[in-house]
Amino acid sequence: MRKGFFARLAVVNIRKNKQIYVPYILACLFNVAMLYMMLFINHNAGMKTIRHSGDVLMITTMGVGVIVIFSFIFLLYSNSFLMKRRQKELGLYNILGLEKKHISWVMMLENLFSALISFVGGILVGILGSKLALLLLLKLIKVPASFGFEVSVPAIRICLEVFGAIFVLILLVNIRKVYKTNPIQLLHAQNTGEKEPKAKWLMAVAGFICLFIGYYIAITTESPLSALALFFVAVVLVMAGTYLLFTAGSIVILKLLRKNKKFYYKTSNFISVSGMIYRMKQNAAGLASICILSTGVLLLLSMTVSLYFGMGDIMVNRYPFDTDAQISGISQEQSEQFQKVFAQAIEDYQVPAEKTVTETYLEIGCKQGKNGIMIGQAYSYSEDGNSVDLYTIRQSEYEKLTGEKTDLHDGEIFAWYPSERETDTLKIDDWDFAVKKWLEKAPLSAMTNLVSNMAAIVVTDSDFEYIDGLRTKMYEGLDAYEAGKDLTVHLGVDIRGSSEEKIRYGQAVYQALKDYCHSDGFSENTIVIGGVRQSEYETYYVDNGSILFIGIFLGALFLMGTAMIIYYKQISEGYEDQGRFQIMQKVGMSRREVKGAIRRQILLVFFIPLVMAMVHISMAFPLIRRLLLLFGMANTKLYVGCTAGTVLAFALVYGLIYSMTARSYYKIVEKA
């Protein structure tokens, strides 16, 4: 054959199939650009100089991994659509005399041209957008930005390796399909009649069961730690249930509607139900993918946005005071010494203290049993059942903190325990304590743990020693605190002034406590934890800002995937509905009636995934709310607002995508 024939044929093919090739190349280009931008941030020399750069780079590296995996899956899916639309064309080439090796050569050239355009265009877009992406990240993590221009050679190399592998895999898949299928099959593939799909009740029931179990886990899981462990189980179950319901459950429901004669034998319903039975058979997997991608976008954005804008609440939960310190593994005498050092530091550094707190208590990790709180063997409380952190306070300490006279006797307690509010007694191990008063709120400002269940009791000195003895017995034979040297003192101070002043005074006080802890007389078990709230903002802005950046980045990627799947569906169904459009008019239906019937089908098919995604989000709400507690986020109203705003914004974008892609569908159909 004449030199350059195959290359010209490949170019002509791309040009003539621009309606499907252009979106495909744009999708490839977008994926290349996204990967380059993320790699650019990862390999940027300036990122290594900022504080907590390790945390940022760890999060962005995870983003790189997600983009690579998504690109492999999505581009293979996009290619399968291309091949499906071009089956007749490839079969015709074979009939006209081109051998399979010639067709393979043409496809290789088409693939090469697409890859070159995608890669070069993607790298150029990535280079232009990389600085904007970096500036956005630095803005979110509150780091001053430096201006300049640079190109990351390592990022280009990795992009070339990743997408080179993807395009080679796509080429191998396409060539295999050409060699495996005979030309007659290719030529008539699109004209082959379809059998009506069967109602697969077993798969439909399995889908409902998977979805029910996933929803049940999301709604009933109480512990944040359990929520973290069960989150991925629930995700897998919901994904499996979604695919099964779209592939099998939808057919079952449509056939049940068809059996309802009053509903079915109406012009609009007859056409819609009949058409959708075949439409769902072809598009179930794609619609399920749209649903899952939409759910992913909504979850990512709602969680990351609420974490970022809930920063103030998170910091207050972690640090109740501007400067906060908890010293554990000490005796009562050592607690008093730390309180003196704390007061002296405030005086020496002339700290403008607005409020101070000093509180000493005994904290024990226990098991929440059916009949009370069990102080069992060490570390056994978390193996089964629910755990509870028991805070025990001396009567004298409580009176000092509140100014309230307790007048407690041995065996009597004041109690704060949200799980038990109606009883006259509280069982702790084998001892039934008489509850003299149920406290309305937690008696200690140190009780800010959002992850564990908490309980607090105020007891007499002798009962305090008894409970301390139970804790000592709990750790018998283990390297742990001695009895009487297992207390914790919480020291906090709110400081008047600017952020800089709060940091300067707070660091001085906190350092004084740490220095004293390292002096003689303290065991290796004595530790100081806490910090200065204002100085910790930087750390949390780095972590949560990076997470929000990844959420926006991946949200955009998933949204692009959703848009492309919708577009491919519209184009595919447009060509399939051309013939149906003609037949409906020939049997007597007006053009308006036909168009209305088809519009109802399209609207129903493409908005079902959105509705389903909203249901998934609603059911996942309790589980996600408990997961956010692990990050210190307890503001439910903020999360509700962020979720509602995200859903509304996504619905508008989804509707816009549908509207734009629907135009292509109607142009194809109306050519009939």
Side-chain angles (χ1 to χ4, degrees):
M1 291 191 182
R2 188 176 295 179
K3 188 177 180 181
F5 172 76
F6 293 127
R8 288 196 300 274
L9 185 59
V11 172
V12 170
N13 287 342
I14 293 174
R15 191 186 300 138
K16 288 187 174 181
N17 291 286
K18 62 182 180 181
Q19 192 175 32
I20 56 176
Y21 253 113
V22 170
Y24 171 70
I25 291 173
L26 288 176
C28 294
L29 189 150
F30 186 79
N31 278 268
V32 173
M34 295 288 277
L35 182 59
Y36 174 86
M37 286 188 279
M38 193 64 72
L39 288 168
F40 172 84
I41 293 171
N42 252 26
H43 291 86
N44 187 274
M47 290 299 298
K48 297 176 182 177
T49 62
I50 68 173
R51 285 188 64 187
H52 310 290
S53 60
D55 295 342
V56 179
L57 294 176
M58 180 185 70
I59 294 170
T60 54
T61 301
M62 291 173 59
V64 169
V66 174
I67 293 171
V68 170
I69 295 169
F70 178 85
S71 298
F72 264 97
I73 297 171
F74 179 72
L75 295 184
L76 283 169
Y77 169 84
S78 301
N79 175 73
S80 69
F81 169 80
L82 281 174
M83 288 296 295
K84 184 180 178 182
R85 293 304 325 151
R86 297 189 62 201
Q87 284 179 334
K88 186 175 181 179
E89 177 188 337
L90 297 175
L92 185 61
Y93 285 151
N94 215 170
I95 296 294
L96 293 175
L98 287 182
E99 298 177 19
K100 290 185 176 182
K101 64 180 180 181
H102 298 143
I103 297 174
S104 300
W105 184 250
V106 173
M107 294 185 70
M108 186 190 75
L109 291 172
E110 290 178 7
N111 196 50
L112 179 61
F113 294 152
S114 301
L116 285 173
I117 297 170
S118 301
F119 186 78
V120 174
I123 293 297
L124 289 175
V125 172
I127 290 171
L128 293 173
S130 57
K131 194 63 181 181
L132 291 175
L134 182 59
L135 290 174
L136 174 62
L137 175 60
L138 295 177
K139 176 74 174 176
L140 292 174
I141 65 177
K142 306 293 183 181
V143 173
S146 59
F147 292 90
F149 182 80
E150 63 181 290
V151 176
S152 177
V153 176
I156 295 175
R157 178 180 55 79
I158 296 171
C159 285
L160 182 60
E161 292 172 353
V162 170
F163 285 94
I166 293 174
F167 281 111
V168 168
L169 180 60
I170 287 172
L171 178 61
L172 293 174
V173 169
N174 292 349
I175 291 175
R176 181 178 177 273
K177 191 172 184 66
V178 170
Y179 274 91
K180 195 175 178 181
T181 313
N182 76 54
I184 302 300
Q185 287 177 324
L186 287 171
L187 190 63
H188 296 288
Q190 295 179 17
N191 298 324
T192 305
E194 280 193 89
K195 293 182 180 179
E196 181 179 304
K198 295 180 180 179
K200 300 177 181 178
W201 281 92
L202 188 62
M203 289 178 62
V205 171
F208 279 110
I209 291 173
C210 287
L211 212 59
F212 175 79
I213 296 173
Y215 287 168
Y216 181 81
I217 291 172
I219 294 171
T220 59
T221 303
E222 294 291 338
S223 169
L225 292 174
S226 298
L228 182 62
L230 294 171
F231 175 75
F232 294 102
V233 177
V235 167
V236 171
L237 286 169
V238 170
M239 287 177 65
T242 301
Y243 274 103
L244 288 171
L245 284 180
F246 272 97
T247 55
S250 59
I251 304 297
V252 168
I253 293 171
L254 288 168
K255 288 201 171 186
L256 288 174
L257 289 174
R258 192 170 65 180
K259 288 182 179 180
N260 187 337
K261 298 189 185 314
K262 290 184 179 179
F263 174 85
Y264 184 64
Y265 288 111
K266 292 180 180 178
T267 305
S268 58
N269 295 342
F270 175 82
I271 296 170
S272 298
V273 172
S274 299
M276 282 192 64
I277 288 176
Y278 290 92
R279 197 178 293 274
M280 291 305 297
K281 178 186 176 182
Q282 298 172 353
N283 299 318
L287 295 174
S289 299
I290 294 172
C291 177
I292 290 170
L293 284 173
S294 300
T295 306
V297 171
L298 293 171
L299 279 178
L300 269 173
L301 290 179
S302 61
M303 288 181 66
T304 54
V305 169
S306 57
L307 280 174
Y308 189 79
F309 289 103
M311 189 73 68
D313 294 321
I314 292 172
M315 296 306 296
V316 169
N317 287 327
R318 291 184 180 273
Y319 303 96
F321 293 84
D322 289 331
T323 299
D324 217 76
Q326 292 183 38
I327 303 98
S328 57
I330 58 175
S331 64
Q332 183 67 37
E333 293 76 16
Q334 290 171 333
S335 170
E336 293 169 0
Q337 292 169 6
F338 269 107
Q339 293 177 47
K340 290 178 182 178
V341 171
F342 177 65
Q344 191 63 49
I346 292 174
E347 183 180 341
D348 291 345
Y349 295 109
Q350 299 181 348
V351 179
E354 189 174 13
K355 180 184 178 182
T356 61
V357 67
T358 60
E359 47 194 24
T360 305
Y361 54 90
L362 174 67
E363 182 181 359
I364 311 173
C366 305
K367 182 178 177 180
Q368 182 176 283
K370 293 181 180 180
N371 300 318
I373 299 172
M374 306 300 296
I375 306 176
Q377 186 180 355
Y379 311 118
S380 67
Y381 65 92
S382 60
E383 292 176 1
D384 60 349
N386 296 319
S387 60
V388 57
D389 287 339
L390 177 63
Y391 292 78
T392 306
I393 311 156
R394 292 182 185 272
Q395 178 180 357
S396 56
E397 183 72 15
Y398 180 79
E399 291 176 349
K400 182 197 77 174
L401 293 172
T402 62
E404 177 185 347
K405 190 69 176 174
T406 57
D407 195 26
L408 289 174
H409 299 90
D410 290 347
E412 295 179 340
I413 61 171
F414 285 0
W416 179 83
Y417 190 23
S419 301
E420 305 250 353
R421 296 286 302 177
E422 306 265 332
T423 59
D424 296 327
T425 61
L426 181 62
K427 189 178 182 67
I428 299 176
D429 262 26
D430 296 327
W431 194 306
D432 288 320
F433 286 92
V435 181
K436 192 172 182 178
K437 179 182 178 181
W438 284 105
L439 302 175
E440 294 297 323
K441 61 179 183 178
L444 299 172
S445 58
M447 297 177 68
T448 58
N449 190 342
L450 301 176
V451 177
S452 303
N453 292 323
M454 292 182 293
I457 56 173
V458 181
V459 298
T460 62
D461 287 357
S462 62
D463 286 345
F464 189 95
E465 301 301 330
Y466 169 75
I467 293 174
D468 192 14
L470 292 177
R471 191 216 65 86
T472 306
K473 186 178 179 182
M474 170 183 175
Y475 287 95
E476 194 172 15
L478 300 172
D479 183 22
Y481 305 123
E482 300 176 29
K485 296 183 179 180
D486 50 3
L487 305 183
T488 300
V489 61
H490 173 227
L491 307 170
V493 55
D494 279 333
I495 302 170
R496 291 187 296 272
S498 64
S499 296
E500 291 75 15
E501 289 173 321
K502 290 181 178 182
I503 292 173
R504 185 173 74 253
Y505 288 122
Q507 287 179 340
V509 173
Y510 189 70
Q511 190 60 49
L513 294 171
K514 290 186 71 175
D515 291 342
Y516 183 70
C517 183
H518 294 146
S519 63
D520 294 336
F522 295 98
S523 72
E524 60 182 14
N525 289 327
T526 304
I527 57 172
V528 180
I529 60 171
V532 180
R533 186 196 294 163
Q534 289 296 326
S535 65
E536 293 297 325
Y537 265 103
E538 182 179 340
T539 304
Y540 284 91
Y541 267 118
V542 166
D543 291 341
N544 290 354
S546 301
I547 293 171
L548 176 59
F549 175 77
I550 292 297
I552 295 171
F553 222 74
L554 297 183
L557 189 66
F558 292 166
L559 190 60
M560 182 276 300
T562 302
M564 291 303 299
I565 294 173
I566 291 175
Y567 177 78
Y568 290 148
K569 292 297 177 196
Q570 298 279 38
I571 296 296
S572 178
E573 292 181 357
Y575 285 113
E576 291 171 1
D577 287 342
Q578 275 185 333
R580 298 173 190 172
F581 196 87
Q582 289 179 328
I583 293 169
M584 288 180 193
Q585 291 185 86
K586 287 177 181 179
V587 297
M589 291 182 67
S590 68
R591 192 175 184 87
R592 184 177 178 181
E593 287 175 330
V594 174
K595 195 172 180 179
I598 292 176
R599 184 183 288 111
R600 281 192 295 273
Q601 286 185 48
I602 295 293
L603 284 169
L604 189 60
V605 167
F606 284 98
F607 280 94
I608 281 176
L610 180 61
V611 174
M612 196 74 175
M614 291 180 179
V615 174
H616 289 345
I617 292 294
S618 304
M619 293 296 108
F621 180 84
L623 185 67
I624 301 300
R625 184 176 61 82
R626 294 180 183 98
L627 279 177
L628 291 175
L629 293 176
L630 294 172
F631 296 91
M633 172 64 183
N635 193 334
T636 302
K637 288 183 179 179
L638 176 63
Y639 178 55
V640 170
C642 290
T643 302
T646 303
V647 169
L648 180 61
F650 183 81
L652 292 173
V653 174
Y654 190 94
L656 182 64
I657 292 170
Y658 163 77
S659 177
M660 293 172 65
T661 56
R663 294 176 188 174
S664 300
Y665 170 85
Y666 289 120
K667 284 181 182 177
I668 296 170
V669 171
E670 290 175 352
K671 289 179 181 178

